[in-house]
Amino acid sequence: MKILVTGGAGFIGSNFVYHMLAKYPGYRIVCLDKLTYAGNLSTLESALKNPNFKFVKGDIADKEAVDKLFKEENFDIVVNFAAESHVDRSIENPELFLVTNILGTQTLLDACNRYGVKRYHQVSTDEVYGDLPLDRPDLLFTEQTPLHTSSPYSASKASADLLVQAYYRTYGTPITISRCSNNYGPYHFPEKLIPLMISRALADESLPVYGDGKNVRDWLYVEDHCKAIDLIIHNGRVGEVYNIGGHNEMSNIDIVKLILQYLGKPESLITYVTDRKGHDRRYAIDPAKIHAELGWLPETKFADGIKKTIQWYLDNKKWWQDIINGEYKNYYEKMYGNR
Ligand code: NAD
Ligand code: DAU
């Protein structure tokens, strides 16, 4: 089996590469990644030593490069993680999100059709469903929930999902889509809530909590997401959407306090800052379909996952310190300087 993993130098894609190499020693895994600010080749250092793994630097929206790669490799399965993934950056600069997340998806779908790929899997997000109110804990996102997006990021992901479904209906492209809730774990880029708070708390720096801190996310350990995608690409029904989530809703402020507690740092580091524009209030996934059809259930409890994650950041300081000492410094100043 030959699998193309796009965006494999990023957070979830790299965890998926390691999961697949460990579980399927007979598979060949090729990673196509543009190495944007969010992609990091050092993340794939161990994978690069595996003869079943190959890294190719390239853009999923570059038709010629994609065509050449598909022609050379004859993939059975394509799993598309490659995306601009940060909501705050999409508010500052929407255009790149449309190019990568929509046109990049189209370029991959066209190549799948041209070269008869047996499965195209689109890694999507619960953000395509918009948000839920805090006072209705009974409401969850199901696969039938209408798409209703808030940010340029989520609009670009929803557009890509519609395109993927259109290719299935129009050309019969064998697709599946998964929509997952917030992931956390190793190799999470330190601009996102959990790694940002860990890295700043360790340096005794202020922790910028948006708005009232009561926004709720449904957190899932990244390995559980990888296992769900593995099940979908092997056993999922073509043309279907699968929601993935852990029934683990937590408010941002509770997460930040938990991190401070584990690190033995004071709550006085918390600083409430101006809210994110269009900030989604609550996400919550109903994972009943993937459980019933594919037997998937999350395996890592949040209490264990967050401890493992914090320990990973303590053990791998070089990985994230190299990032925050580089170009990222200017990003933080630009985004948080006047907040
Ligand atoms: P990330 O930002 O950490 O990584 C994205 C990767 O894609 C990087 O390696 C980057 O270099 C690469 N990339 C960006 N543009 C590219 C392009 N044009 N061509 C090739 N490669 C390109 O993202 P992540 O958090 O790992 O998310 C991966 C996917 O999962 C995304 O599609 C995202 O929408 C989705 N998702 C993320 C979460 C989450 O909590 N992080 C939850 C649900 C779904
Ligand atoms: O739900 C899935 C989505 O989760 C993915 O599709 C996205 O790619 C991923 O980035 C993530 O989006 P969020 O916007 O939920 O994640 P982020 O880590 O940016 O923010 C989580 C919450 O924390 C959100 O309510 C905003 C808040 N926040 C974030 C940052 C960076 C803060 O309060 N302060 C911060 O500095």
Side-chain angles (χ1 to χ4, degrees):
M1 192 76 86
K2 230 182 211 187
I3 304 189
L4 173 65
V5 177
T6 68
F11 165 42
I12 309 174
S14 60
N15 278 281
F16 184 73
V17 165
Y18 284 118
H19 167 83
M20 295 300 281
L21 288 174
K23 187 162 168 200
Y24 303 102
Y27 284 17
R28 176 167 167 79
I29 308 287
V30 177
C31 166
L32 173 66
D33 197 297
K34 189 179 170 186
L35 295 182
T36 68
Y37 78 93
N40 196 337
L41 211 45
S42 76
T43 302
L44 292 172
E45 207 174 289
S46 312
L48 287 163
K49 293 180 191 138
N50 188 321
N52 291 334
F53 178 76
K54 180 177 159 188
F55 177 81
V56 178
K57 185 171 187 286
D59 187 336
I60 57 163
D62 179 341
K63 286 181 198 151
E64 275 176 31
V66 166
D67 188 82
K68 184 169 169 279
L69 184 64
F70 275 63
K71 197 182 226 165
E72 280 167 9
E73 294 283 353
N74 202 13
F75 297 115
D76 298 295
I77 298 176
V78 172
V79 185
N80 182 25
F81 290 92
E84 286 295 331
S85 72
H86 192 32
V87 173
D88 291 335
R89 289 186 190 249
S90 82
I91 295 166
E92 292 301 303
N93 177 18
E95 192 173 336
L96 184 56
F97 284 70
L98 308 193
V99 174
T100 288
N101 299 0
I102 307 174
L103 297 180
T105 296
Q106 180 229 330
T107 304
L108 292 172
L109 286 165
D110 283 339
C112 286
N113 284 351
R114 237 180 350 264
Y115 293 98
V117 169
K118 297 183 194 82
R119 177 68 67 86
Y120 173 87
H121 182 74
Q122 178 72 357
V123 180
S124 186
T125 167
D126 59 359
E127 296 201 15
V128 298
Y129 299 122
D131 63 352
L132 296 164
L134 287 182
D135 60 358
R136 288 291 307 274
D138 56 312
L139 295 180
L140 302 172
F141 296 136
T142 72
E143 290 79 1
Q144 277 70 49
T145 303
L147 303 191
H148 184 79
T149 57
S150 311
S151 69
Y153 162 69
S154 56
S156 70
K157 292 295 289 184
S159 305
D161 282 14
L162 292 174
L163 202 58
V164 172
Q165 288 175 315
Y167 270 60
Y168 171 60
R169 168 100 185 231
T170 303
Y171 308 110
T173 315
I175 63 93
T176 38
I177 297 175
S178 54
R179 295 183 179 143
C180 191
S181 59
N182 285 63
N183 286 214
Y184 68 102
Y187 300 117
H188 204 177
F189 195 85
E191 68 187 348
K192 305 284 175 71
L193 180 77
I194 290 181
L196 180 80
M197 298 301 164
I198 297 172
S199 57
R200 289 186 66 82
L202 283 171
D204 296 307
E205 288 169 335
S206 64
L207 308 186
V209 172
Y210 297 168
D212 60 10
K214 291 186 182 148
N215 301 64
V216 165
R217 298 291 182 265
D218 179 0
W219 293 93
L220 183 71
Y221 193 62
V222 63
E223 177 69 12
D224 280 324
H225 186 185
C226 296
K227 287 179 180 167
I229 294 174
D230 175 0
L231 279 173
I232 295 169
I233 59 176
H234 287 99
N235 306 322
R237 285 186 294 135
V238 167
E240 293 293 313
V241 175
Y242 293 91
N243 281 357
I244 307 170
H247 280 304
N248 183 60
E249 292 179 51
M250 290 192 66
S251 70
N252 296 337
I253 190 65
D254 285 347
I255 298 233
V256 173
K257 285 183 179 168
L258 197 63
I259 291 170
L260 287 171
Q261 198 188 323
Y262 280 139
L263 293 176
K265 299 286 182 178
E267 289 190 8
S268 55
L269 289 177
I270 295 171
T271 311
Y272 289 93
V273 300
T274 310
D275 209 353
R276 173 184 279 174
K277 291 188 183 110
H279 197 176
D280 281 337
R281 206 53 170 151
R282 170 179 166 248
Y283 303 144
I285 280 278
D286 179 356
K289 178 175 173 180
I290 189 169
H291 175 56
E293 282 191 21
L294 304 177
W296 179 87
L297 276 177
E299 290 168 28
T300 301
K301 291 198 182 78
F302 188 77
D304 300 328
I306 193 72
K307 268 192 225 160
K308 271 204 275 188
T309 303
I310 292 174
Q311 194 55 49
W312 188 88
Y313 280 86
L314 287 168
D315 294 342
N316 292 277
K317 281 191 179 150
K318 183 169 167 22
W319 182 86
W320 55 267
Q321 281 176 348
D322 282 355
I323 293 171
I324 61 176
N325 291 329
E327 170 204 341
Y328 178 78
K329 250 189 184 157
N330 303 330
Y331 164 84
Y332 193 87
E333 195 39 50
K334 181 177 164 226
M335 300 294 268
Y336 293 84
N338 296 319
R339 210 153 175 157

